[in-house]
């Protein structure tokens, strides 16, 4: 049986040709409504997360976005490669990405193993795990997209703390098998970031956008701002990514408790507006 | 009139020859009691802060630590060089350091100017301001000790976010005029930190120790741990600093609301114990 023919792609609204709405920006908005909202607004791309996809049903979700004509720009997330069970978990994530029709599987490396202070050792574990997963990813047509997180997450979420470090790992593999994610929230502070973006070139698997807002909240996870709310030179970073040869989607991905408390359509409208004003 | 002869130096207790107690570790402990506590415990060094020193009286504070035989290992802090009035403020800080008998004036660079997103511009302001202040510091026998803060402070406190960046600025000047601070809390996550410590060598003006504890509290300022409470390889960093040629004081500087709520003598005892176990 051959795969069904793809539905017609969403016709992007003016200026939104590259915009992708990451579903975590509207965490409490049900997937069917997110998809319908994107289609209605002329947003051609969507970034998905494994947990809400699993809740909705993987195959159902794949059919839903396909029928809607949305491009799945990335799947968040695999990784946590310093945690027991990482191999099976990431094999499942690779399959899920393939099923959803996206090439880009975002990997957050994981932090220090419980009780460990050996950050070099944890970084070696991450590189070894990626080498282990790369053949399977290649076979599935999925790219492992290493996302450096801000160094404030180094201990508990992601020992890959800079774009340079992510590239040091990625460059051991073919660019279509292992790439990197450039997320403005995580990399803006780095005085080498523009050099590293130029170095990344064809390895840029995803470009994600969020703004840096202070003061940071407790736990520092849910303090991101919509474009324009913070201190990041978002347009400059977008232009640098473009100059490196990247012409793919621009995914807005913002986690903030206040934003999440708003109705989904409002969040999407605010995302579109801030993207047009501060990123495009 | 010649300066009074220095008092006899505190005889360090066994193992505490290099320990310095930063007064901000016991924020609410009055200066006279901190000084008496250090002397009684055989802690030979103390790190001072400008605000409590000013409250006690600069000359009185200088006389107090001198009479006690304590070495003032650093004065925190000058800097905030992106803020109006930085020049006068830092000239005062240089004089205060000289009066207190310490050579090391810790500089926290300052964040982005209000309303600005121009991080490169802010970094140029910092380098220019240090060039402006260097002659006065040299004349006073005070070293400007640039402290890179963790990148989570880049927007609002310190655009100098890595040891490499601090050295890029410091190396424009003589090592006895502009140095760097290595604070374990701020630099531990950096995969280049051991190379940068080796590069720093004689420019290491102060070595400060605190541990990284998660989850971070709101505002992320008061979440540090005593040595051993977190994830940092403190002894490895201390050994690297030593291997670079540094043989100066090891200053424990921890900010945490819970720690501050304890009686001063308990905080000092806990500091000594954690230093001996996890750093020395």
């Amino acid at each position: 049986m051959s795969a069904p023919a793809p539905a017609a792609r969403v016709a992007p609204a003016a200026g939104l040709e590259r915009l992708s709405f990451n579903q975590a920006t509207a965490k409490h908005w049900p997937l069917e409504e997110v998809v319908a909202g994107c289609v209605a607004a002329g947003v051609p791309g969507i970034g998905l997360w494994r947990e809400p996809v699993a809740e909705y049903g993987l195959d159902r979700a794949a059919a839903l976005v396909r029928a809607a004509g949305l491009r799945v720009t990335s799947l968040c997330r695999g990784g946590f490669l310093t945690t027991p069970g990482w191999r099976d978990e990431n094999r499942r994530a690779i399959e899920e990405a393939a099923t959803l029709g996206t090439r880009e599987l975002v990997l957050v490396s994981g932090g220090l193993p419980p009780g460990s202070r050996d950050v070099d050792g944890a970084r070696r574990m991450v590189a070894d795990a990626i080498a282990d997963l790369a053949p399977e990813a290649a076979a599935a047509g999925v790219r492992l997209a290493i996302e450096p997180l801000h160094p404030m997450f180094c201990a508990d979420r992601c020992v890959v703390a800079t774009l340079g470090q992510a590239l040091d790992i990625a460059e051991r593999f073919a660019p279509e098998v292992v790439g990197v994610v450039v997320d403005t929230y995580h990399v803006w502070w780095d005085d080498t970031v523009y050099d590293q973006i130029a170095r990344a070139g064809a390895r840029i698997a995803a470009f994600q956008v969020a703004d840096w807002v202070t003061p940071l909240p407790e736990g520092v996870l849910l303090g991101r701002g919509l474009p324009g709310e913070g201190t990041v030179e978002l347009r400059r970073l977008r232009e640098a990514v473009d100059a490196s040869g990247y012409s793919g989607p621009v995914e807005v991905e913002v986690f903030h408790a206040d934003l999440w408390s708003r109705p989904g359509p409002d969040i999407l409208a605010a995302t579109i507006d801030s993207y047009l004003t501060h990123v495009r």
Side-chain angles (χ1 to χ4, degrees), chain A:
Chain A
M1 189 180 86
S2 62
R9 289 283 186 189
V10 168
L16 305 187
E17 296 79 6
R18 294 177 70 184
L19 180 59
S20 173
F21 183 72
N22 188 292
Q23 74 169 129
T25 304
K27 186 183 171 75
H28 306 303
W29 204 12
L31 182 60
E32 281 184 14
E33 296 180 30
V34 178
V35 167
C38 286
V39 171
V43 174
I46 187 168
L48 297 177
W49 279 69
R50 295 179 65 206
E51 295 77 1
V53 162
E55 202 176 302
Y56 187 78
L58 175 66
D59 292 328
R60 270 181 85 205
L64 176 73
V65 292
R66 186 184 184 88
L70 285 176
R71 172 175 175 188
V72 180
T73 57
S74 72
L75 179 64
C76 288
R77 60 179 189 225
F80 288 85
L81 305 169
T82 54
T83 307
W86 63 266
R87 191 164 198 279
D88 288 346
E89 191 61 35
N90 281 278
R91 293 173 74 174
R92 278 193 291 275
I94 290 168
E95 282 171 34
E96 290 164 25
T99 301
L100 292 165
T102 183
R103 174 174 153 180
E104 313 299 353
L105 174 63
V106 175
L107 295 192
V108 170
S109 75
L112 294 165
S116 169
R117 295 186 175 97
D118 180 9
V119 66
D120 286 354
R123 285 166 173 162
R124 280 192 299 271
M125 288 170 74
V126 168
D128 291 348
I130 288 169
D132 181 274
L133 294 168
E136 264 175 89
V142 168
R143 175 151 65 175
L144 303 174
I146 306 171
E147 178 168 15
L149 295 200
H150 191 285
M152 69 188 176
F153 296 114
C154 184
D156 51 358
R157 289 184 177 265
C158 193
V159 290
V160 178
T162 62
L163 187 53
Q165 226 191 311
L167 286 166
D168 288 345
I169 300 172
E171 285 173 354
R172 301 176 200 175
F173 307 90
E176 64 277 11
V177 177
V178 182
V180 297
V181 179
V182 177
D183 183 319
T184 59
Y185 188 78
H186 295 303
V187 304
W188 73 275
W189 59 270
D190 183 349
D191 68 326
T192 72
V193 69
Y194 292 98
D195 290 341
Q196 297 299 336
I197 287 172
R199 172 184 169 198
R203 287 192 190 270
I204 299 177
F207 178 55
Q208 296 184 325
V209 174
D211 216 334
W212 181 269
V213 179
T214 56
L216 294 164
E218 185 181 356
V220 304
L221 201 58
L222 306 182
R224 302 189 188 195
L226 285 170
E229 292 183 343
T231 55
V232 181
E233 294 174 291
L234 297 171
R235 184 170 283 109
R236 182 182 176 200
L237 285 160
R238 198 265 302 152
E239 287 169 353
V241 164
D242 290 357
S244 82
Y246 180 80
S247 58
V250 179
E251 218 179 84
V252 177
E253 186 194 47
V254 176
F255 314 146
H256 198 293
D258 292 349
L259 187 65
W260 286 348
S261 71
R262 294 164 60 180
D266 287 8
I267 301 173
L268 180 60
T271 298
I272 291 170
D273 185 53
S274 66
Y275 167 76
L276 288 171
T277 308
H278 298 283
V279 185
R280 184 176 162 253

